Short mmCIF file of all heavy atoms in Angstrom, two decimals:
data_model
loop_
_atom_site.label_atom_id
_atom_site.label_comp_id
_atom_site.label_asym_id
_atom_site.label_seq_id
_atom_site.Cartn_x
_atom_site.Cartn_y
_atom_site.Cartn_z
N GLU A 277 34.27 57.30 83.32
CA GLU A 277 35.16 56.25 83.86
C GLU A 277 35.02 56.17 85.38
O GLU A 277 34.87 55.10 85.94
CB GLU A 277 36.62 56.57 83.50
CG GLU A 277 36.97 56.20 82.07
CD GLU A 277 38.43 56.48 81.73
OE1 GLU A 277 38.90 57.62 81.99
OE2 GLU A 277 39.11 55.56 81.21
N GLU A 278 35.04 57.34 86.04
CA GLU A 278 34.92 57.36 87.49
C GLU A 278 33.62 56.74 87.97
O GLU A 278 33.55 56.13 89.02
CB GLU A 278 35.00 58.81 88.01
CG GLU A 278 36.43 59.28 88.24
CD GLU A 278 36.52 60.80 88.22
OE1 GLU A 278 35.59 61.45 88.72
OE2 GLU A 278 37.52 61.31 87.67
N LEU A 279 32.58 56.93 87.16
CA LEU A 279 31.28 56.37 87.54
C LEU A 279 31.23 54.86 87.29
O LEU A 279 30.22 54.21 87.57
CB LEU A 279 30.16 57.06 86.74
CG LEU A 279 29.89 58.52 87.11
CD1 LEU A 279 29.06 59.20 86.04
CD2 LEU A 279 29.17 58.59 88.46
N GLY A 280 32.31 54.32 86.73
CA GLY A 280 32.35 52.89 86.47
C GLY A 280 31.48 52.46 85.30
O GLY A 280 31.04 51.33 85.23
N LEU A 281 31.25 53.37 84.37
CA LEU A 281 30.35 53.05 83.25
C LEU A 281 31.10 52.58 82.01
O LEU A 281 30.49 52.20 81.02
CB LEU A 281 29.52 54.28 82.89
CG LEU A 281 28.49 54.71 83.93
CD1 LEU A 281 27.89 56.05 83.54
CD2 LEU A 281 27.40 53.66 84.05
N THR A 282 32.44 52.65 82.05
CA THR A 282 33.19 52.36 80.83
C THR A 282 33.88 51.00 80.89
O THR A 282 34.11 50.45 81.97
CB THR A 282 34.27 53.43 80.60
OG1 THR A 282 35.09 53.48 81.78
CG2 THR A 282 33.66 54.79 80.39
N LYS A 283 34.20 50.48 79.72
CA LYS A 283 35.00 49.26 79.59
C LYS A 283 35.98 49.52 78.46
O LYS A 283 35.67 50.25 77.52
CB LYS A 283 34.11 48.09 79.19
CG LYS A 283 33.38 47.46 80.33
CD LYS A 283 32.94 46.04 79.95
CE LYS A 283 32.03 45.46 81.02
NZ LYS A 283 30.59 45.69 80.72
N VAL A 284 37.18 48.91 78.55
CA VAL A 284 38.12 49.05 77.46
C VAL A 284 37.97 47.83 76.55
O VAL A 284 37.94 46.70 77.01
CB VAL A 284 39.57 49.16 77.97
CG1 VAL A 284 40.54 49.23 76.79
CG2 VAL A 284 39.71 50.39 78.85
N SER A 285 37.78 48.11 75.27
CA SER A 285 37.60 47.03 74.31
C SER A 285 38.51 47.29 73.12
O SER A 285 38.38 48.33 72.47
CB SER A 285 36.12 46.97 73.92
OG SER A 285 35.92 46.12 72.83
N ASP A 286 39.42 46.40 72.86
CA ASP A 286 40.44 46.59 71.80
C ASP A 286 41.13 47.95 71.93
O ASP A 286 41.37 48.63 70.93
CB ASP A 286 39.81 46.51 70.40
CG ASP A 286 39.35 45.09 70.07
OD1 ASP A 286 39.96 44.15 70.62
OD2 ASP A 286 38.40 44.95 69.29
N GLY A 287 41.41 48.33 73.15
CA GLY A 287 42.12 49.59 73.38
C GLY A 287 41.24 50.82 73.36
O GLY A 287 41.68 51.91 73.69
N ALA A 288 39.96 50.68 72.95
CA ALA A 288 39.07 51.83 72.91
C ALA A 288 38.23 51.89 74.19
O ALA A 288 37.88 50.84 74.74
CB ALA A 288 38.14 51.73 71.69
N ILE A 289 37.94 53.10 74.63
CA ILE A 289 37.07 53.24 75.81
C ILE A 289 35.62 53.27 75.34
O ILE A 289 35.25 54.07 74.49
CB ILE A 289 37.42 54.52 76.60
CG1 ILE A 289 38.90 54.50 77.00
CG2 ILE A 289 36.53 54.65 77.83
CD1 ILE A 289 39.36 55.73 77.75
N CYS A 290 34.82 52.37 75.90
CA CYS A 290 33.44 52.23 75.45
C CYS A 290 32.47 52.25 76.62
O CYS A 290 32.84 51.90 77.74
CB CYS A 290 33.23 50.88 74.76
SG CYS A 290 34.39 50.53 73.46
N VAL A 291 31.24 52.63 76.33
CA VAL A 291 30.13 52.41 77.26
C VAL A 291 29.24 51.37 76.58
O VAL A 291 29.04 51.43 75.36
CB VAL A 291 29.34 53.72 77.51
CG1 VAL A 291 28.19 53.48 78.47
CG2 VAL A 291 30.26 54.81 78.04
N PHE A 292 28.74 50.44 77.36
CA PHE A 292 27.79 49.47 76.79
C PHE A 292 26.42 49.71 77.42
O PHE A 292 26.05 49.04 78.38
CB PHE A 292 28.26 48.03 77.07
CG PHE A 292 29.46 47.62 76.27
CD1 PHE A 292 30.75 47.86 76.75
CD2 PHE A 292 29.32 47.02 75.03
CE1 PHE A 292 31.88 47.50 76.01
CE2 PHE A 292 30.44 46.65 74.27
CZ PHE A 292 31.71 46.89 74.77
N PRO A 293 25.67 50.70 76.92
CA PRO A 293 24.38 50.97 77.54
C PRO A 293 23.46 49.76 77.34
O PRO A 293 23.45 49.17 76.26
CB PRO A 293 23.85 52.19 76.78
CG PRO A 293 24.65 52.28 75.53
CD PRO A 293 25.93 51.57 75.76
N PRO A 294 22.73 49.35 78.37
CA PRO A 294 21.88 48.18 78.24
C PRO A 294 20.79 48.41 77.20
O PRO A 294 20.34 49.54 76.99
CB PRO A 294 21.28 48.00 79.63
CG PRO A 294 21.46 49.32 80.31
CD PRO A 294 22.65 49.96 79.70
N GLY A 295 20.39 47.33 76.55
CA GLY A 295 19.28 47.42 75.60
C GLY A 295 19.72 47.62 74.16
O GLY A 295 18.88 47.80 73.28
N PHE A 296 21.04 47.63 73.90
CA PHE A 296 21.49 47.80 72.52
C PHE A 296 22.37 46.62 72.14
O PHE A 296 23.34 46.33 72.83
CB PHE A 296 22.28 49.11 72.36
CG PHE A 296 21.44 50.32 72.65
CD1 PHE A 296 21.39 50.85 73.93
CD2 PHE A 296 20.68 50.89 71.64
CE1 PHE A 296 20.60 51.95 74.21
CE2 PHE A 296 19.88 51.99 71.92
CZ PHE A 296 19.84 52.53 73.21
N ALA A 297 22.01 45.95 71.05
CA ALA A 297 22.78 44.79 70.63
C ALA A 297 23.14 44.91 69.17
O ALA A 297 22.39 45.47 68.37
CB ALA A 297 21.97 43.52 70.88
N ALA A 298 24.30 44.38 68.82
CA ALA A 298 24.70 44.30 67.42
C ALA A 298 23.89 43.19 66.75
O ALA A 298 23.16 42.46 67.42
CB ALA A 298 26.19 44.03 67.31
#
Side-chain angles (χ1 to χ4, degrees):
E277 281 182 309
E278 274 158 37
L279 290 164
L281 292 171
T282 56
K283 278 200 188 93
V284 177
S285 169
D286 291 332
I289 303 178
C290 308
V291 179
F292 289 89
F296 297 91

